[in-house]
Amino acid sequence: MKAAVIVFPGSNCDRDLAVAFRELTGHETVMVWHGETTLPDGLDIIGVPGGFSYGDYLRSGAMAARSPVMRAVADAAGRGVAVLGVCNGFQVLTETGLLPGALMRNAGLNFVCRDVGLTVGTSQTMFTSRYEDGEEIVIPVAHHDGNYFADDATLDRLEGEGRVAFRYTGDVNGSARNIAGIVNDAGNVLGMMPHPERMIEAAHGRTDGRRIFEGLVGALA
């Protein structure tokens, strides 16, 4: 199984995500610079990491979404390749148009960095299949622009189609309907603000994020 992580100027969680993929797939993760126009052949998983791509200039994820490599990522997603965007990666995926909505400044205008409670919105995706519907887990967040916004019709559609993967158990950043992560209509693209790669082994304090990677690897094996 072959995984790649996209690296932008300002990415700072790319290595964490690469380690998580390596731990669960058993193979080294390929790091792909944002200026590339193609992806390695035979990829099964693409990770879009957290950080501050391009210094969050203009708005978070806006410039990274127009990096040359993102066209290749969008093409791969269209072919069914699994794409996981975490934090800034979630912002990049909405700016790319792979996921609906937008991530705005946190409602309190403060950077939030702490463990947060999440409720699993659905277990019917390749990313969440190792959880139970409604299960409560804990995963850390670290962001200033995690306030998910979409119009009511989009929010209703996401909920009606079972595409809300995770919700905060309480208000963290002002996100509409406490949404913390969503999947695309095909179910192969997940964007989420919390960092599951920071909770995959006991040394991290908890392992609640590990099952995202286990579910993904299990679905693709």
Side-chain angles (χ1 to χ4, degrees):
M1 187 168 295
K2 193 171 182 179
V5 170
I6 309 300
V7 184
F8 303 99
S11 294
N12 64 14
C13 301
D14 47 321
R15 293 179 184 276
D16 296 342
L17 193 55
V19 168
F21 285 144
R22 185 187 68 198
E23 289 292 315
L24 275 298
T25 66
H27 300 281
E28 284 296 331
T29 306
V30 181
M31 309 303 282
V32 180
W33 185 236
H34 72 111
E36 299 292 339
T37 56
T38 61
L39 293 167
D41 291 336
L43 284 181
D44 301 291
I45 309 168
I46 300 169
V48 186
F52 304 90
S53 57
Y54 294 90
D56 283 348
Y57 188 67
L58 296 180
R59 62 181 180 272
S60 299
M63 294 185 69
R66 284 140 186 90
S67 289
V69 76
M70 287 310 297
R71 177 168 296 181
V73 172
D75 289 344
R79 297 194 302 271
V81 175
V83 179
L84 171 61
V86 175
C87 196
N88 187 223
F90 187 11
Q91 296 159 348
V92 173
L93 294 179
T94 58
E95 291 286 346
T96 307
L98 287 173
L99 292 171
L103 281 307
M104 306 188 304
R105 291 285 168 86
N106 293 345
L109 301 182
N110 293 316
F111 191 91
V112 180
C113 183
R114 59 181 170 85
D115 293 347
V116 299
L118 300 175
T119 300
V120 178
T122 176
S123 62
Q124 302 302 306
T125 78
M126 64 172 68
F127 303 94
T128 58
S129 62
R130 299 297 174 93
Y131 300 99
E132 300 292 332
D133 288 338
E135 181 178 350
E136 291 193 8
I137 60 175
V138 174
I139 292 181
V141 298
H143 60 249
H144 190 272
D145 296 53
N147 181 359
Y148 182 74
F149 173 82
D151 58 41
D152 286 340
T154 300
L155 294 170
D156 289 344
R157 187 172 69 251
L158 289 170
E159 291 181 329
E161 295 175 353
R163 291 167 54 191
V164 177
F166 299 102
R167 295 181 197 270
Y168 302 109
T169 57
D171 184 28
V172 172
N173 49 32
S175 285
R177 303 184 191 181
N178 283 334
I179 288 175
I182 58 172
V183 295
N184 67 339
D185 54 1
N188 65 308
V189 178
L190 168 66
M192 60 187 295
M193 289 309 297
H195 285 266
E197 78 278 12
R198 296 183 184 177
M199 272 194 178
I200 64 165
E201 55 188 58
H204 292 157
R206 300 177 67 109
T207 60
D208 292 14
R210 186 178 183 90
R211 281 181 280 167
I212 290 178
F213 299 93
E214 289 177 340
L216 186 55
V217 170
L220 297 173

